[in-house]
Amino acid sequence: MARMGPTTAEVLSKYNFIIQTGPRKIPAFESVPLLRELAKNEDEQRIFDFISNAAAMARPLVTNAGVPTERVAALRRAFDATLADPAFLEDAARQNLEIGAKSGEELQRLVTGLIETPPVVLEQVRRAIQIKSAEAIRGTGPSRE
């Protein structure tokens, strides 16, 4: 089977990563700091944690509201069993696919934390990620000629 993506070595040789988001470092990229490690105070820590936790949910799998608790538990067990299946992991490795899934419980904690973020922190995040000016550097805006 053909490889689906570049190897870690190929990626590291081509790109210079300066930061990672998420709650923990990606294996093979341990030298790249986490955003949360750069916080200088509690306000920055809350902002960076919000951004990192939001990024950690890159491709969540969800179901609709009102699903019985026992069915959610069965779906989570099946998903976790797939992620632990040697044949699945071998196939993913052969295709050079990264498997870095979170448990349903962990994802639920992340979502709940984001939903329950205090308004003052959300305002700090909004200000932190706001684009200040599209023409902050002379000559980078559209031509006026």
Side-chain angles (χ1 to χ4, degrees):
M1 183 174 285
R3 194 171 50 134
M4 299 295 287
T7 65
T8 300
E10 290 169 338
V11 171
L12 289 172
S13 71
K14 188 172 182 180
Y15 300 99
N16 181 24
F17 295 97
I18 58 171
I19 199 162
Q20 297 185 59
T21 58
R24 59 186 155 272
K25 292 184 178 185
I26 298 169
F29 295 86
E30 288 85 3
S31 64
V32 180
L34 286 171
L35 175 62
R36 66 182 330 272
E37 295 172 350
L38 303 178
K40 295 177 186 135
N41 55 52
E42 282 187 39
D43 285 343
E44 284 186 2
Q45 188 70 64
R46 286 190 295 268
I47 293 166
F48 294 171
D49 282 346
F50 182 91
I51 292 168
S52 293
N53 289 336
M57 297 186 308
R59 294 177 295 273
L61 297 175
V62 299
T63 188
N64 54 306
V67 175
T69 304
E70 62 278 359
R71 188 165 305 149
V72 171
L75 289 168
R76 287 178 175 173
R77 283 192 309 275
F79 184 75
D80 291 343
T82 299
L83 294 179
D85 179 56
F88 171 79
L89 295 172
E90 182 180 310
D91 190 40
R94 191 172 38 256
Q95 296 179 59
N96 201 36
L97 299 175
E98 179 184 331
I99 303 297
K102 293 170 184 25
S103 71
E105 292 79 10
E106 185 178 2
L107 188 56
Q108 185 172 356
R109 280 191 299 276
L110 281 172
V111 170
T112 300
L114 290 171
I115 290 171
E116 294 175 352
T117 300
V120 67
V121 175
L122 292 175
E123 178 58 24
Q124 291 172 325
V125 170
R126 188 191 65 73
R127 284 196 319 265
I129 63 174
Q130 182 179 27
I131 296 173
K132 307 300 185 237
S133 172
E135 294 188 24
I137 301 172
R138 187 178 180 97
T140 60
S143 172
R144 299 190 196 287
E145 296 178 26

